[in-house]
Amino acid sequence: RMKLQIEMLERTPEIRELQDDIQEMERMIDGYLTFARGGGSEPLSKINLASLIEEIISTERRDGSLINFVNKSETIKSVTLRPQVIKRAITNLIINSKKYAETVKVELEYNSEQAIITIDDNGPGIKAEYRDDVFKAFFRLDPSRNTDTGGTGLGLTIAKDIVQSHGGDLLLSEASLGGLRATVTLPL
């Protein structure tokens, strides 16, 4: 109803601002509904995590982004996951790094109990006191309503929820490149 009423009004800068507000609200609601629905319906399957990461990076390099991938494992290991859901989580993390940094480095390694994916960037990072807050739904470090400077505040929330739904964890710290490090651990 609001959209229809606004469409019927004369075009003014204020009306354009209202239309932008409605579009932002729709994006936030759609993002939240996608987050709330989760990916629980996708079946678990054994996947080669290195291949999945390479596929994500290949897609994310299309815009010219500098993303390096290092697979520290000498053997191919399969991990039982919901592939599309995990792909979304890792993609969210890489896109977040790309948004704030010029260089992104992704590493994959395994220990006896888990797969460890580390995503480092050379961006400004996140101050330690905000690292827990950024996982809260709709929390944004950029307080402006301009989504060009920061999304809806769901990317990290969704990524953490997905990782935890697989029995893993997502932690943020300082990267070796000087920016932010996102460490994803997933059980084998």
Side-chain angles (χ1 to χ4, degrees), residues 14-82:
E14 293 82 17
I15 297 301
R16 279 192 286 283
E17 286 178 17
L18 285 173
Q19 288 173 321
D20 291 345
D21 284 348
I22 287 174
Q23 286 179 340
E24 171 63 13
M25 287 169 35
E26 286 178 331
R27 278 193 296 272
M28 288 177 70
I29 289 169
D30 288 345
Y32 182 75
L33 290 174
T34 300
F35 166 66
R37 288 183 192 118
S41 61
E42 182 184 9
L44 292 169
S45 58
K46 283 195 174 282
I47 64 163
N48 178 331
L49 197 51
S51 294
L52 181 71
I53 294 169
E54 287 171 347
E55 178 185 325
I56 293 166
I57 290 172
S58 175
T59 300
E60 293 306 318
R61 281 181 179 151
R62 288 183 188 154
D63 63 3
S65 295
L66 179 59
I67 307 171
N68 298 309
F69 177 54
V70 177
N71 183 355
K72 292 183 166 184
S73 176
E74 295 178 11
T75 61
I76 296 174
K77 294 189 177 186
S78 294
V79 182
T80 303
L81 304 165
R82 291 187 302 279

Side-chain angles (χ1 to χ4, degrees), residues 67-135:
I67 307 171
N68 298 309
F69 177 54
V70 177
N71 183 355
K72 292 183 166 184
S73 176
E74 295 178 11
T75 61
I76 296 174
K77 294 189 177 186
S78 294
V79 182
T80 303
L81 304 165
R82 291 187 302 279
Q84 292 307 309
V85 176
I86 280 293
K87 183 176 183 177
R88 179 174 183 197
I90 296 168
T91 300
N92 282 1
L93 294 170
I94 291 173
I95 287 172
N96 193 61
S97 285
K98 283 174 41 175
K99 190 182 299 183
Y100 298 103
E102 294 174 5
T103 303
V104 179
K105 179 177 158 189
V106 181
E107 291 184 352
L108 171 64
E109 63 183 311
Y110 299 92
N111 62 30
S112 61
E113 299 174 359
Q114 54 194 206
I116 303 163
I117 304 163
T118 306
I119 302 166
D120 284 354
D121 66 51
N122 67 344
I126 296 174
K127 292 181 181 179
E129 62 263 25
Y130 295 118
R131 289 185 190 146
D132 289 333
D133 292 336
V134 296
F135 291 119

